[in-house]
Amino acid sequence: VVLVAPQGLGKTMIAQNIAHQAVLAGHSVLFVTASQLLLDLAAQESARALDRRLRHYGTRTTLLVVDEIGYLSYDSRNADLLFQVVSRRHEKRSLVLTTNLAFSDWPTIFPNASSAIALIDRIIHHADVLSLEGTSFRRREAEQTQATRRAKRKG
């Protein structure tokens, strides 16, 4: 599942709910932000340690949720690491991704278009892509709070 939407529309909450339902159904789940995942993988000091961590993210859990792809740009190494995780899970294990960018914008966060295209190709092969539209919940809440404060000051 890929959840695509601007900030504040509930992508993370939906992903957490999917993960929760998977746990209730008896599946193993790992929830991680894209930055946490890539920092962890990049911090591995040997090829052996990296391979162990790639297995951890790639095949050890039934469901891997990677939150917030697209909020940061990736260098070549991080793009390669993310591709390896997705490739290891491809057709073997479930994956939920959240992103604030349409796939057409992914080349802006990856160092070269070919890595973005290869990654997108693997991700969407069997995915349900859900695009959410609307106004940010946080923004609406902030506007309501401000309106309430103004009304109290006037009253």
Side-chain angles (χ1 to χ4, degrees):
V1 174
V2 181
L3 300 165
V4 182
Q7 297 83 346
L9 293 185
K11 299 179 300 294
T12 298
M13 182 62 71
I14 293 168
Q16 288 171 337
N17 288 333
I18 292 169
H20 182 73
Q21 290 302 310
V23 168
L24 293 177
H27 299 286
S28 58
V29 175
L30 180 60
F31 190 102
V32 64
T33 65
S35 62
Q36 290 169 325
L37 170 81
L38 295 172
L39 284 171
D40 181 29
L41 292 173
Q44 302 309 307
E45 296 184 8
S46 70
R48 188 174 191 175
L50 177 59
D51 187 58
R52 252 192 322 274
R53 293 311 286 168
L54 283 168
R55 274 188 270 124
H56 172 73
Y57 292 114
T59 58
R60 292 252 165 88
T61 58
T62 306
L63 173 63
L64 174 64
V65 179
V66 181
D67 194 27
E68 299 179 347
I69 293 177
Y71 288 89
L72 302 172
S73 295
Y74 304 103
D75 62 17
S76 294
R77 176 156 166 71
N78 283 331
D80 292 344
L81 292 171
L82 183 58
F83 180 79
Q84 286 184 57
V85 170
V86 170
S87 291
R88 286 176 183 234
R89 296 192 72 80
H90 184 246
E91 296 189 328
K92 296 177 187 88
R93 299 278 190 226
S94 297
L95 181 64
V96 173
L97 303 174
T98 70
T99 181
N100 62 325
L101 297 175
F103 288 124
S104 60
D105 295 328
W106 278 32
T108 64
I109 60 170
F110 290 97
N112 64 56
S114 63
S115 69
I117 292 167
L119 183 60
I120 292 166
D121 183 60
R122 291 276 163 88
I123 290 169
I124 65 172
H125 184 220
H126 294 296
D128 289 320
V129 179
L130 305 174
S131 183
L132 309 173
E133 296 179 10
T135 306
S136 165
F137 292 111
R138 289 183 290 272
R139 182 176 178 181
R140 277 188 290 181
E141 188 175 284
E143 288 171 354
Q144 287 172 349
T145 301
Q146 287 178 342
T148 302
R149 286 180 186 156
R150 275 182 261 158
K152 284 182 181 179
R153 276 185 258 158
K154 288 182 180 180

